[in-house]
Amino acid sequence: MAPVSLFPRLSSPTLDSLLANSLADTTIRAYSATLKRLRKEGIFPPFSLESASQVLAKAAERDWPVSTISSMRATMVKYNRIRRLPDPFDDPVIEALLQGLKRSARANASSKPSKAAVPASAAAIEAAAVMALDENTPTAQRVQATGLVLGFCFCFRPRTLGAVCPSHWRTLSTYLELVVAHEKTGGAYDQARIIRVALHNNPLVVMLSFVQQHCPADTPVWPARQQDTLVQLLQQLHPEDAPARGLNSLRPGGASCAALFPGGRERVKSIGNWRSDAADLYVRANYIPPPRGGHVEKIMSALYAPAF
């Protein structure tokens, strides 16, 4: 069975190329993978209200997560729209069923044990911060320690952290401005978002300044191919249960820590790029706060204070 193309054929190869360039490669790959899955489920384009009903029925029967439902809807709508065909979900009954299904899926997810990684402890990240600021620590290790602090405090996904370059942040009069990728791929800087954090009494400023001095401006500091070093350092800082820690431990650890600060639960959704209450699934109860007056507490206080 020949693969289905997201894009229709136009009148010339040049126009076909321009159309293909309208989306990022990672986005096209995601749409293509979903189209392939839809075909395996017996749902074929062009998509209709009946197609949407089939998706919702299968999702209900198999307890699909919200992310799967959302990606299928987005793919079907995009496929039709780019061919000037109707939105297969543009029906009040379909829309109501979709919302009901999403609510049920989220309720089920919240009642199950979280599959997110074991969170990084605030104490371990405090140790990383001390390392990042210690002039006697080797440069490479200071840079790696800064990566752990940055990933934890900003609740970065590993891919997002892996795309950060020194040119992506700058120090202004009263705040530090960091530009990060908006999408889960960690690389879509055409859809970048800006995070601002107060400078006052913020040790992160010194850490990032050191990284800028010692790393190329437009080269990722913590690329995916070198993140094993970051993982090793993180595990060294968690000697009691090192194997349970990975870079995906930074995100739930940061979210749990942020929730301890006034307004942190709301602000973490923006900083961590959560578009829904899914952020709450990353927040762990009884999370031990960072040391009082320590580097992590200062950074988190500045970051999760009211927005500028």
Side-chain angles (χ1 to χ4, degrees), residues 186-201:
Y189 279 89
D190 57 329
Q191 299 183 38
R193 55 198 174 95
I194 296 175
I195 302 173
R196 291 173 176 171
V197 54
L199 292 180
H200 180 66
N201 199 27

Side-chain angles (χ1 to χ4, degrees), residues 15-155:
L15 293 179
D16 289 341
S17 177
L18 290 174
L19 188 59
N21 286 335
S22 65
L23 296 175
D25 289 343
T26 51
T27 304
I28 294 174
R29 286 198 293 270
Y31 279 136
S32 298
T34 305
L35 282 170
K36 184 177 180 180
R37 179 170 180 178
L38 285 166
R39 296 185 76 192
K40 286 184 177 179
E41 296 291 346
I43 303 171
F44 301 94
F47 302 108
S48 62
L49 292 178
E50 177 62 28
S51 304
S53 299
Q54 286 181 274
V55 167
L56 298 183
K58 290 178 181 291
E61 291 169 2
R62 303 181 189 178
D63 195 23
W64 285 347
V66 172
S67 58
T68 298
I69 302 167
S70 297
S71 65
M72 286 188 172
R73 178 186 185 179
T75 300
M76 294 164 71
V77 170
K78 186 68 174 179
Y79 183 95
N80 276 20
R81 182 179 298 165
I82 210 165
R83 290 166 172 79
R84 300 188 182 93
L85 297 174
D87 180 345
F89 288 83
D90 187 16
D91 177 86
V93 175
I94 292 292
E95 185 64 34
L97 290 172
L98 180 63
Q99 293 307 315
L101 192 58
K102 285 184 176 182
R103 286 180 183 276
S104 298
R106 290 190 177 115
N108 291 337
S110 64
S111 65
K112 297 176 182 177
S114 176
K115 296 180 181 179
V118 176
S121 72
I125 301 304
E126 179 67 25
V130 170
M131 187 182 299
L133 294 168
D134 183 3
E135 295 181 356
N136 295 319
T137 299
T139 296
Q141 197 167 26
R142 290 183 68 180
V143 170
Q144 296 303 312
T146 299
L148 294 180
V149 175
L150 189 67
F152 177 90
C153 293
F154 286 78
C155 301

Side-chain angles (χ1 to χ4, degrees), residues 289-307:
R292 191 72 179 269
H295 301 308
V296 172
E297 185 189 53
K298 292 176 181 177
I299 297 170
M300 298 297 276
S301 295
L303 188 56
Y304 294 97

